[in-house]
Amino acid sequence: MSEALVFYSKADSADEWISALRPHLPDLEMRVAPDVGDPLDVHYAVVWKPPQGFFVPFTNLKLVVNLGAGVDALVSRTDLPDLPVTRLSDPHMSRMMASFVLMSVLRHARDIPAFEKAQREKRWNYVHPRMAGDIKVGVLGLGELGSAAVLELSLQGFDVRGWSRTQKRLPGIDCRAGMDALPQFLSECEILVVMLPLTRDTHHLINAERLALLPQGAKFINVARGPIVDEPALIAALQSGHISEATLDVFEHEPLPQDSPLWGMENVLITPHLASVAIPRTAAAQVAQNIHRVRSGEPVLNRVDPGRGY
Ligand code: NDP
C-alpha cells in the first residue's frame, strides 16, 4: 500500500505547495483533491477550508495540516477527525504580518489619512508630528503573529502594551493578561490592534461597551478575524467619531458586502484579507518536519488545541 498526502485549498496554489513539499518528502505520493486515488493510502491532509465531509473517506489519516495560522474554520467543523491538527508557523509569515501592522500603525501615527484627504482637496494641512514614544499602542493577542508585531512596533519606539489569555514576558513590552485586565488595557490604547484568534471566547469580544472604553478619537486596526468585532458597533463608533480612523483587513462577512457602510467611510482603509499569507517556499519545511515526526512516532509541533479553539 502506498503512503499519500492529500492537498485541498481553493486559496492556495497546489502546484506551488507540492513543488515546495516534494524535495522534503521524496517518497510520499502527493494527490490533489478531488483526484485522491485510493483514499486508504492517504495518511496526511494538507488543507485550507475543505468542504464538509472531506475527511470521511480517509480512514487511515494521521495528521491534518491547516494551511494557515488561523484555525477557526477548521476547529469549528463538526466533522474534524480526532487526530493531531497543526497550523502553519513560519517566521516569514510572522514578518509579513508584523510589517503590515507596522505600516498600519505608522500610517495612523503619522496622520497619513489626514494628508491623503487634504491632498484630494488641494489643501496644505500641516499637522505637527508626534514622537512614537508618546503614542500608546495596544495589541490584543501575543501569539506567534502578535508577539512579532509588538516587538516590531517597540523597535520603532512606540509605547507598546500587549494583552493575552495567559501572562507573557516580552522584552520592552508591557504585557497584561486575562479579562480582568482588559478594561484598563483598552482605556490606554490610542491605537488598538486586534491579533486574537476567533474562538468561542473572542467572538464579539470587541463590542460597543468595550469600544467605548477606548480613548476618544482612538484608531482601530483589525488584522485577525472579522467576527471578533461587533461590526455594527464599530461602524457606530466610527460614525460618532469616538473611533477616528480604522484599518480593516478582515470583516464579519467576506468579501465585504457592497452595501456595507464601511466602503463609503473616508476614515476607513479596507484591505481584502491579505495582511499575511501562507508562503509555500518557506513553510513547506515545517509541514514536512511534522510528517516526519508522525512517521517516527514523535509529537508534532505547532499543534492546535481544538477544544481551546486555537
Ligand atoms: P496564536 O494562536 O499563536 O496566538 C493567539 C494569541 O491570542 C495568544 O497570545 C493567546 O493567548 C491570545 N488569546 C487567545 N484567546 C484569548 C482570549 N480569550 N483572551 C485573551 N487572549 C487570548 O495566533 P497567531 O498570533 O499566530 O495569529 C492570530 C490570528 O491572526 C490567527 O488566529 C488568525 O485568525 C489571524 N490571521 C490573520 C491573517 C490575515 O491575513 N489577516 C493571516 C494569518 C492569521 P495565550 O498566549 O495566553 O494562549
Side-chain angles (χ1 to χ4, degrees), residues 87 142-145 163 165-166 168 223 225 249 276 310:
R87 51 163 284 185
L142 294 173
E144 264 187 54
L145 304 179
W163 181 77
R165 202 173 49 82
T166 57
K168 294 281 164 299
V223 291
R225 285 291 184 267
D249 187 52
S276 184
Y310 70 102

Side-chain angles (χ1 to χ4, degrees), residues 68-72 87-88 93 97 140-147 163-168 178-179 195-199 201-202 205 222-225 228 249-250 273-277 308 310:
V71 293
D72 44 291
R87 51 163 284 185
L88 291 191
M93 198 175 174
M97 178 58 96
L140 298 176
L142 294 173
E144 264 187 54
L145 304 179
S147 56
W163 181 77
S164 53
R165 202 173 49 82
T166 57
Q167 187 64 43
K168 294 281 164 299
M179 287 306 288
M195 301 193 74
L196 293 163
L198 174 60
T199 67
D201 294 338
T202 65
L205 179 76
N222 187 3
V223 291
R225 285 291 184 267
I228 296 170
D249 187 52
V250 290
H273 198 147
L274 42 59
S276 184
V277 294
R308 193 178 65 164
Y310 70 102

Side-chain angles (χ1 to χ4, degrees), residues 254-273:
E254 295 178 9
L256 182 63
Q258 282 294 309
D259 61 358
S260 169
L262 291 168
W263 285 115
M265 291 185 165
E266 273 210 343
N267 51 348
V268 177
L269 175 65
I270 291 170
T271 55
H273 198 147

